[in-house]
Amino acid sequence: MRVLLVSTPMGRLGSGRGGGVELTLTNAVAGLLARGHAVTVLAGEGSRLSADCAGAQLWCEAGADQLSWQHQDRQAPVTMPPDALLGRLWRRALAEQHRFDVLLNLAYDWLPLWLTPHTTTPLAHLVSMGSVGAAMDGVIAEIAASHPCHLAFHTAAQASDFDLLEPPILLGNGFDLRAYQFNGVPQPLLGWAGRIAPEKGLEDAAAVAARLGMPLAVWGLREDEAYAARVEAQVPAGTVQWRGFLPTAELQQALGQCAALLNTPKWNEAFGNVVVEAMACGVPVAAYARGGPGELVQEGVNGALASPDNLDALEAAARRALALPRDGCRVWVEGHASREVFSERLEHWLLSLAG
Ligand code: UDP
């Protein structure tokens, strides 16, 4: 297949602004290339592809970012800033579509979903979040009714947010396990990774770290500075250790040093890349039993689950996770979330559309 993969209109690839979508894109591109397909990536200006995507073409467009749907009111209308990157990406995609067998959209935005019945090359969407706004729910329900095979999701928990008439196509996610090193000798340190924003619930992880008397190393982009300051102020000084946003090679090395990862989203997390990335390094995960992490964490195998938003339960889960053997985490990832397994599912879905 000749695949045109259209990235998120949130910053450039490599900036972290796109959250988990950036790593999903890398793994999708590298996985499709390895299976013999030709891939072109269309993304924001300044984007860079990682070395294992070197076989792909990269086209860039300049333009202003979209507002993230998860940070707006549920009833927010669909908006576009002047000189919107989203508009420019899709103008280019439509102009070039005749050169491809399938278009793959990774952006959680109304415009590409709405375009689905109107392209001449089949347009597929890997939906990257659960329900966060009525306008998105509406357009996803419309496409689910008219073009159900054009939508895929990461997990059943994510898909259950939407009004679907048919069982969802579930792709999970996949990681290049050669890029994650197993670390069997952790430090007395808890870890947390992700965009630092209210929907990620960092405050609960910080509270539990304080209860356990362990420092919490935090990796990720500080999307919301006021929120980060509030979280830090709620716990004893030194509990939260800000470690910045690291590229994958450095992140995995740092994650591997953690005794356990806490994962505490307040929303229906679509997947939870950092959960699997930590497990790949041998780090057990204590998470709330909701969304993607609730499906990824297997009690007693690769981590422990707590009833959502319950700090006592999370503290108990963290204690159980800390007591687990670390090799089971890595073994679970090898069997369930490798790039090979993911790209095979992705290929199967895209081939069914490309005809
Ligand atoms: N991440 C990173 N460097 C960091 C912290 C996080 O590259 O220092 C990446 C991480 O690899 C993951 C993404 O940020 O792919 C967060 O994705 P996740 O699915 O956990 O949440 P999202 O941001 O999509 O809600």
Side-chain angles (χ1 to χ4, degrees):
M1 287 178 289
R2 295 162 302 165
V3 183
L4 177 63
L5 198 156
V6 188
S7 179
T8 164
M10 302 294 291
R12 57 178 178 82
L13 288 172
S15 69
R17 298 254 305 122
V21 170
E22 295 189 21
L23 189 60
T24 301
L25 182 143
T26 298
N27 288 316
V29 171
L32 288 170
L33 289 171
R35 299 185 75 79
H37 304 290
V39 184
T40 300
V41 176
L42 181 49
E45 192 175 51
S47 289
R48 276 198 311 255
L49 292 177
S50 63
D52 45 0
C53 298
Q57 269 210 325
L58 176 64
W59 295 345
C60 290
E61 291 286 332
D65 280 14
Q66 289 300 114
L67 287 175
S68 45
W69 278 99
Q70 71 270 29
H71 298 136
Q72 300 179 64
D73 187 87
R74 278 198 74 83
Q75 297 305 319
V78 176
T79 57
M80 301 269 283
D83 302 324
L85 174 58
L86 182 66
R88 291 182 175 185
L89 291 174
W90 284 93
R91 188 168 57 199
R92 178 100 180 250
L94 294 180
E96 305 278 358
Q97 60 178 316
H98 61 280
R99 297 168 58 181
F100 297 92
D101 301 306
V102 65
L103 311 176
L104 174 57
N105 166 46
L106 291 194
Y108 190 95
D109 278 293
W110 184 89
L111 176 67
L113 282 149
W114 183 85
L115 282 172
T116 315
H118 307 293
T119 60
T120 50
T121 298
L123 169 53
H125 308 272
L126 177 49
V127 180
S128 62
M129 294 196 285
S131 164
V132 288
M136 285 300 294
D137 289 359
V139 74
I140 289 173
E142 265 176 39
I143 300 307
S146 65
H147 293 69
C149 300
H150 291 238
L151 296 177
F153 301 85
H154 288 290
T155 59
Q158 174 204 7
S160 71
D161 264 4
F162 299 105
D163 208 356
L164 309 176
L165 300 178
E166 295 186 18
I169 295 169
L170 301 178
L171 300 184
N173 213 345
F175 300 80
D176 177 13
L177 297 181
R178 294 164 307 176
Y180 298 86
Q181 231 179 330
F182 177 78
N183 183 341
V185 193
Q187 307 287 317
L189 179 70
L190 294 169
W192 189 97
R195 290 175 298 104
I196 297 156
E199 68 272 16
K200 296 298 209 168
L202 174 60
E203 63 274 26
D204 289 10
V208 164
R211 287 181 182 205
L212 295 174
M214 290 176 78
L216 181 71
V218 176
W219 292 276
L221 189 77
R222 288 165 76 112
E223 270 190 351
D224 186 333
E225 286 292 346
Y227 168 71
R230 276 200 307 280
V231 171
E232 190 171 14
Q234 280 164 15
V235 287
T239 303
V240 175
Q241 298 186 354
W242 304 108
R243 300 286 180 91
F245 178 82
L246 302 180
T248 303
E250 292 165 43
L251 177 66
Q252 66 84 26
Q253 201 170 33
L255 277 176
Q257 294 170 4
C258 297
L261 185 91
L262 303 181
N263 189 259
T264 46
K266 295 283 169 182
W267 66 345
N268 185 9
E269 181 85 43
F271 186 79
N273 284 355
V274 297
V275 168
V276 175
E277 293 181 88
M279 290 172 182
C281 303
V283 181
V285 178
Y288 286 141
R290 68 150 68 97
E295 288 179 28
L296 299 168
V297 173
Q298 309 291 304
E299 179 73 45
V301 175
N302 54 22
L305 287 170
S307 59
D309 308 323
N310 180 333
L311 290 183
D312 291 337
L314 185 63
E315 181 185 344
R319 290 184 194 281
R320 295 198 303 281
L322 286 165
L324 284 175
R326 292 168 73 86
D327 45 359
C329 302
R330 172 81 188 193
V331 170
W332 185 88
V333 175
E334 284 167 356
H336 295 87
S338 70
R339 183 188 270 176
E340 290 72 25
V341 170
F342 168 65
S343 50
E344 207 176 311
R345 288 190 210 117
L346 177 64
E347 175 189 63
H348 184 255
W349 171 51
L350 294 179
L351 276 173
S352 73
L353 294 173

